[in-house]
């Protein structure tokens, strides 16, 4: 009996090495472990043995059985990999010998700054909202108090689509929808891509990013606006930032301002970034016009609020020392993959 067991084992070992398909492997499994398989037959043969022999031979046969199952499983896994590799090799669409790509993509500089601002404003209780790039003419203009034929539309010329919608010219286009969504009180920021007819140069692009912010509640005043702007900018530049407000006109705010920051690079002494003026114009803002609140379904007798339209593209350029805005949309990875989250 011992010899027979040994024979089956040797035969199994020589056969398993040569098996080259899953079907053949399955056939082998049946031939050894199946109802009439050699290992099963050996077990049946135990019947005619004495108790002692049964014990001893039974152990050998069980070891053989374990050996056979283990090797069949192992060979199965091996075969699977071999067959897959052969399939890939035969497939001319891939070249599996090419080294894998080691470089990872990087975030676009504007995305980096956007995420940073989102984190800062979220920590101050602002919701982060998204809005379409194609918007109704009503949302882009009328709802922010720019009626048809108002001269303010001239500065924000854009594509008008056949269906009457426009490519949004400013993130203020979402103000109405946000007011309607949250009502008062509300705190929200909404970054977005904007489009305008511009003569291109190093600081003007037809496509750029803004980040709008709005806060509406009882007793909101310009002091709140200044506080939030100073806090946010100090976080961005990691130091105290001095701001100043100059009067500015936007039909959807009253009063309206241009918010300048004292140049964080030279401390106001004058350098290339601030064009030697000591101040950088960064963020138009103001107290939301009562008509805009009203159109958004908010009672202007009870609530007031501020809005700002931060130039995200401009901020990213300042943060990273990018001198030509056109680089940002160029798709030139040599330039774009240099920026990392700070
Ligand atoms: N939407 C204005 C623009 O793009 C900026 C702005 C936003 C001004 C909010 C005031 C308040 O020019």
């Amino acid at each position: 009996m011992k010899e027979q067991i040994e024979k089956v084992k040797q035969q199994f070992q020589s056969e398993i090495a040569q098996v080259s398909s899953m079907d053949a492997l399955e056939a082998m499994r049946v031939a050894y472990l199946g109802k009439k398989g050699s290992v099963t037959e050996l077990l049946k043969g135990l019947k005619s043995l004495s108790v002692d022999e049964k014990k001893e031979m039974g152990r050998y046969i069980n070891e053989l059985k374990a050996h056979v199952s283990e090797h069949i499983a192992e060979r199965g896994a091996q075969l699977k990999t071999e067959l897959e590799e052969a399939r890939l090799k035969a497939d001319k669409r891939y070249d599996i010998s090419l080294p894998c790509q080691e470089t990872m993509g990087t975030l676009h500089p504007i995305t980096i700054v956007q995420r940073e601002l989102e984190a800062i404003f979220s920590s101050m209780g602002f919701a982060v909202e998204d809005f379409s790039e194609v918007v109704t003419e009503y949302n882009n203009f009328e709802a922010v108090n720019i009626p048809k034929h108002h001269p303010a539309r001239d500065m924000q010329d854009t594509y008008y689509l056949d269906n009457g919608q426009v490519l949004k010219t400013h993130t203020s286009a979402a103000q109405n929808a946000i007011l309607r969504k949250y009502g008062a009180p509300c705190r929200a920021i909404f970054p977005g891509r904007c489009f305008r007819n511009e003569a291109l140069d190093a600081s003007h692009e037809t496509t750029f990013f803004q980040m709008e912010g709005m806060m509406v509640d009882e007793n909101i005043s310009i002091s709140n606006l200044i506080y939030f702007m100073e806090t946010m900018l100090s976080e961005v530049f990691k130091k105290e930032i001095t701001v100043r407000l100059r009067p500015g006109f936007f039909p959807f705010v009253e009063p309206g301002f241009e918010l300048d920051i004292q140049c964080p690079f030279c401390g106001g002494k004058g350098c290339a970034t601030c064009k030697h003026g000591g101040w950088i114009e960064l963020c138009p803002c103001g107290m939301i016009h009562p008509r805009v609140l009203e159109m958004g379904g908010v009672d202007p007798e009870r609530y007031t609020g501020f809005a700002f339209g931060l130039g995200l593209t401009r901020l990213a350029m300042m943060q990273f020392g990018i001198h030509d805005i056109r680089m940002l949309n160029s798709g030139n990875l040599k330039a774009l993959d240099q920026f990392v989250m700070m």
Side-chain angles (χ1 to χ4, degrees):
M1 183 104 190
K2 184 90 200 283
E3 273 165 33
Q4 259 173 303
I5 298 174
E6 231 3 86
K7 234 174 97 189
V8 171
K9 189 172 179 180
Q10 274 168 16
Q11 197 184 346
F12 172 77
Q13 278 165 342
S14 73
E15 279 177 25
I16 190 91
Q18 284 160 32
V19 138
S20 61
S21 76
M22 288 308 236
D23 286 348
L25 189 68
E26 175 57 15
M28 260 194 84
R29 195 190 59 78
V30 175
Y32 283 86
L33 303 175
K35 263 191 192 154
K36 292 192 177 137
S38 352
V39 178
T40 322
E41 291 298 329
L42 285 173
L43 279 168
K44 282 182 196 159
L46 283 177
K47 265 190 251 158
S48 54
L49 301 181
S50 71
V51 177
D52 281 350
E53 278 178 326
K54 249 186 210 162
K55 236 186 178 174
E56 199 188 347
M57 293 305 141
R59 209 186 65 216
Y60 288 139
I61 302 173
N62 277 328
E63 275 169 15
L64 173 64
K65 197 174 168 183
H67 175 87
V68 168
S69 330
E70 237 169 62
H71 282 78
I72 288 184
E74 200 176 278
R75 184 75 188 121
Q78 242 174 28
L79 264 179
K80 220 171 133 192
T81 326
E82 279 170 25
L83 293 171
E84 180 61 10
E85 272 174 12
R87 192 183 67 74
L88 284 174
K89 237 182 208 152
D91 190 336
K92 295 282 177 282
R93 288 173 303 173
Y94 307 106
D95 181 351
I96 56 165
S97 64
L98 279 179
C100 64
Q101 195 176 347
E102 281 165 7
T103 49
M104 293 262 290
T106 54
L107 292 177
H108 191 280
I110 292 179
T111 311
I112 296 176
V113 175
Q114 180 180 327
R115 293 203 178 164
E116 195 179 2
L117 287 172
E118 285 174 2
I120 295 171
F121 276 105
S122 302
S123 77
M124 299 194 288
F126 282 69
V128 180
E129 280 287 338
D130 196 9
F131 201 60
S132 343
E133 292 175 357
V134 177
V135 299
T136 59
E137 202 178 327
Y138 173 82
N139 274 325
N140 200 76
F141 296 120
E142 275 96 330
V144 283
N145 209 21
I146 313 180
K148 274 201 166 46
H149 313 300
H150 191 286
R153 288 204 184 194
D154 287 352
M155 285 175 302
Q156 301 198 9
D157 190 15
T158 183
Y159 278 113
Y160 286 72
L161 309 185
D162 286 344
N163 65 6
Q165 290 186 309
V166 299
L167 296 192
K168 95 174 155 207
T169 61
H170 53 179
T171 40
S172 307
Q175 282 195 9
N176 187 266
I178 303 282
L179 286 174
R180 291 195 169 279
K181 175 169 175 185
Y182 290 97
C186 118
R187 291 181 189 194
I189 52 162
F190 26 111
R193 195 195 310 260
C194 305
F195 309 85
R196 282 187 205 175
N197 178 15
E198 292 281 359
L200 299 189
D201 64 26
S203 48
H204 293 90
E205 250 285 18
T206 55
T207 306
F208 54 94
F209 284 78
Q210 291 185 335
M211 160 114 56
E212 190 101 352
M214 236 173 17
M215 179 169 182
V216 180
D217 206 338
E218 282 173 356
N219 303 319
I220 296 291
S221 71
I222 298 168
S223 322
N224 298 103
L225 167 66
I226 297 175
Y227 168 78
F228 278 99
M229 291 294 103
E230 271 180 348
T231 308
M232 178 272 289
L233 292 164
S234 304
E235 286 276 333
V236 169
F237 290 102
K238 315 265 185 290
K239 57 176 160 186
E240 286 282 302
I241 293 289
T242 311
V243 303
R244 75 174 182 196
L245 294 181
R246 286 178 291 120
F249 174 71
F250 304 92
F252 38 94
V253 284
E254 180 54 40
F257 307 103
E258 292 287 355
L259 181 140
D260 300 336
I261 61 171
Q262 192 163 51
C263 180
F265 301 103
C266 64
K269 285 195 207 79
C271 68
T273 310
C274 60
K275 302 207 176 83
H276 304 284
W279 293 89
I280 298 174
E281 185 181 316
L282 190 66
C283 184
C285 53
M287 299 305 293
I288 304 174
H289 196 288
R291 271 191 55 69
V292 174
L293 290 175
E294 211 169 5
M295 284 187 275
V298 170
D299 178 6
E301 297 289 334
R302 181 165 173 206
Y303 295 103
T304 49
F306 65 76
F308 61 87
L310 186 75
L312 203 55
T313 298
R314 173 170 296 189
L315 191 58
M317 288 174 70
M318 268 172 60
Q319 278 247 45
F320 291 114
I322 298 168
H323 297 299
D324 193 328
I325 193 172
R326 290 166 291 194
M327 187 276 266
L328 293 166
N329 290 347
S330 68
N332 176 358
L333 291 182
K334 274 200 186 127
L336 290 172
D337 69 6
Q338 298 178 17
F339 305 101
V340 286
M341 200 81 119
M342 287 189 285

